[in-house]
Amino acid sequence: GAVAVLAVVIFVHELGHFLVAKWCRVEVLVFSMGFGPTIFSRKMGETTYRLALIPFGGYVKMAGQEEDGGETPTDPSRGFSVKPLKQRAAIVAAGPAVNLVFAFVVMFAAYFAYGQLVPSNEARVGGVVAGSPADKSGLKTGEIVASVDSSPVVGWDDFSTRVRESGGRTLTVVLRDESGAEREISVTPEVAPNQDAFGEVVGQSYMIGIQRHFENEEVGLFESVRLAGVATYRMSAMIFVMLGRIIQGRVDASDLGGPIMIAQEAGRLAETGLEPLLRFIALISVNLGILNILPIPVLDGGHLFFFLIEGLRGRPLSIRVREMAQQVGVLLLVALMVFVVFNDISRIVAG
């Protein structure tokens, strides 16, 4: 499941580079899904299409890319480096841009097919956090909180307020299931940190460890377009804010996840249905698009930064400088990959 999710968003990214390169009449030598040993390859026209063993990446190799050794194009006018600056920038920017467009299309499909999720006003249990007081007391997803300490509960906000204001006192809670049957349990709220959408701690309060229930509300064609645009923008903005807070030390970098976490999350969401999986695919696509435009050598953003310098100077940086920058970029990416995989393994070991 995870490999399929990654393969789709990587394919879309590389397809963006490939199509714009072809449109600009650049000779494309290789379109590769994955790195390392070749599993399958076929040459069609001037391009070799290959599938490689390591699925976490891909690339489009073009003739005349100087910092990559620069294989000579069969037609000198079709080399990447001889193309006008605007065309080279368009080819490089196409990958991240298509990732954002793809995320928008996926979110549109999710909204149009399933509607939007809106928080329920009922005091219904939407989910139970493993190991929480609610979990230990036996609360189940889907149950409605009917009363607390013999006093009726009139909605989610009412119940949430009573838990927060409990002072840690054990509460007697009456729960009602779908059939209308009721049962009584005792649960003791515990002090837990309040976190915002970015994982930053913004105080603490008494909680029992349940999540709010959300319902699907149908939306039409034009509203689906609007919601998909808003969602894509918010996901993009969230990544920038998250990166800023990690740099500032306001959010713990150990929360960053890598391919193992993506695999676990994709597998979990695939079991819960297509809608949450579609939203996850859109999020991964936005992540790939946004992270690729960071001004780090090797990434698309690094190339675009070099093009900006070229535009300001009137000539490109020397090949030697670009090669050295590429090497630094590779080291940074390898270090980041090792870090996020270490985080993934640490989470698994910690349970």
Side-chain angles (χ1 to χ4, degrees), residues 183-329:
R183 66 188 183 99
E184 186 178 287
I185 64 158
S186 295
V187 61
T188 306
E190 295 176 354
V191 173
N194 287 323
Q195 292 181 316
D196 63 12
F198 306 100
E200 183 175 356
V201 176
V202 288
Q204 57 183 26
S205 58
Y206 284 98
M207 298 182 189
I208 61 171
I210 64 170
Q211 295 156 349
R212 190 169 191 165
H213 176 67
F214 281 77
E215 297 170 339
N216 283 88
E217 183 181 86
E218 282 191 26
V219 291
L221 177 67
F222 295 109
E223 182 65 2
S224 296
V225 171
R226 188 189 72 81
L227 288 170
V230 170
T232 306
Y233 169 77
R234 285 180 176 168
M235 284 188 286
S236 304
M238 188 171 77
I239 295 165
F240 283 117
V241 174
M242 186 78 171
L243 288 170
R245 292 191 181 188
I246 288 172
I247 291 167
Q248 292 172 334
R250 292 166 61 185
V251 175
D252 195 342
S254 64
D255 291 337
L256 288 174
I260 298 173
M261 192 184 83
I262 292 172
Q264 291 176 325
E265 192 67 9
R268 184 182 70 81
L269 291 172
E271 291 174 3
T272 61
L274 181 59
E275 182 203 6
L277 184 60
L278 285 174
R279 295 177 186 275
F280 183 65
I281 290 170
L283 179 62
I284 295 298
S285 191
V286 169
N287 267 275
L288 184 63
I290 296 297
L291 295 178
N292 254 287
I293 61 172
L294 295 178
I296 298 172
V298 176
L299 296 182
D300 297 330
H303 292 295
L304 291 172
F305 183 67
F306 289 150
F307 292 155
L308 176 63
I309 294 172
E310 181 181 338
L312 295 172
R313 293 175 80 225
R315 65 184 191 280
L317 291 167
S318 70
I319 296 174
R320 178 66 182 148
V321 169
R322 282 179 281 161
E323 286 175 345
M324 288 173 63
Q326 294 268 52
Q327 290 166 5
V328 172

Side-chain angles (χ1 to χ4, degrees), residues 36-344:
T38 301
I39 297 173
F40 167 84
S41 73
R42 173 172 291 180
K43 187 166 185 178
M44 295 171 65
E46 66 188 16
T47 308
T48 299
Y49 300 87
R50 71 188 287 269
L51 182 65
L53 186 63
I54 304 168
F56 306 117
Y59 62 90
V60 170
K61 184 177 182 180
M62 294 169 280
Q65 286 179 292
E66 292 173 335
E67 58 266 43
D68 293 338
E71 283 193 39
T72 307
T74 51
D75 177 349
S77 69
R78 298 191 62 210
F80 176 78
S81 61
V82 301
K83 292 296 178 180
L85 182 60
K86 285 182 180 178
Q87 289 191 9
R88 283 179 282 143
I91 292 166
V92 171
V98 171
N99 272 129
L100 296 179
V101 172
F102 178 68
F104 169 81
V105 171
V106 170
M107 288 304 298
F108 166 77
Y111 281 122
F112 191 65
Y114 299 99
Q116 67 172 325
L117 290 172
V118 293
S120 171
N121 291 323
E122 287 183 306
R124 184 185 293 273
V125 180
V128 179
V129 178
S132 66
D135 187 27
K136 293 171 185 172
S137 298
L139 271 82
K140 295 183 177 67
T141 299
E143 289 183 308
I144 293 176
V145 180
S147 69
V148 173
D149 293 339
S150 302
S151 175
V153 169
V154 295
W156 175 266
D157 291 337
D158 179 29
F159 178 55
S160 178
T161 300
R162 294 202 210 180
V163 171
R164 287 199 306 272
E165 295 176 353
S166 67
R169 174 177 51 83
T170 298
L171 305 173
T172 301
V173 178
V174 173
L175 299 164
R176 184 183 303 124
D177 64 18
E178 296 289 348
S179 68
E182 295 185 346
R183 66 188 183 99
E184 186 178 287
I185 64 158
S186 295
V187 61
T188 306
E190 295 176 354
V191 173
N194 287 323
Q195 292 181 316
D196 63 12
F198 306 100
E200 183 175 356
V201 176
V202 288
Q204 57 183 26
S205 58
Y206 284 98
M207 298 182 189
I208 61 171
I210 64 170
Q211 295 156 349
R212 190 169 191 165
H213 176 67
F214 281 77
E215 297 170 339
N216 283 88
E217 183 181 86
E218 282 191 26
V219 291
L221 177 67
F222 295 109
E223 182 65 2
S224 296
V225 171
R226 188 189 72 81
L227 288 170
V230 170
T232 306
Y233 169 77
R234 285 180 176 168
M235 284 188 286
S236 304
M238 188 171 77
I239 295 165
F240 283 117
V241 174
M242 186 78 171
L243 288 170
R245 292 191 181 188
I246 288 172
I247 291 167
Q248 292 172 334
R250 292 166 61 185
V251 175
D252 195 342
S254 64
D255 291 337
L256 288 174
I260 298 173
M261 192 184 83
I262 292 172
Q264 291 176 325
E265 192 67 9
R268 184 182 70 81
L269 291 172
E271 291 174 3
T272 61
L274 181 59
E275 182 203 6
L277 184 60
L278 285 174
R279 295 177 186 275
F280 183 65
I281 290 170
L283 179 62
I284 295 298
S285 191
V286 169
N287 267 275
L288 184 63
I290 296 297
L291 295 178
N292 254 287
I293 61 172
L294 295 178
I296 298 172
V298 176
L299 296 182
D300 297 330
H303 292 295
L304 291 172
F305 183 67
F306 289 150
F307 292 155
L308 176 63
I309 294 172
E310 181 181 338
L312 295 172
R313 293 175 80 225
R315 65 184 191 280
L317 291 167
S318 70
I319 296 174
R320 178 66 182 148
V321 169
R322 282 179 281 161
E323 286 175 345
M324 288 173 63
Q326 294 268 52
Q327 290 166 5
V328 172
V330 168
L331 287 174
L332 284 172
L333 285 185
V334 169
L336 178 61
M337 183 56 74
V338 170
F339 179 70
V340 295
V341 169
F342 174 78
N343 282 352
D344 289 348

Side-chain angles (χ1 to χ4, degrees), residues 23-38:
W23 182 62
C24 293
R25 296 198 71 254
V26 172
E27 184 179 346
V28 179
L29 303 172
V30 181
F31 184 115
S32 178
M33 286 295 295
F35 297 106
T38 301

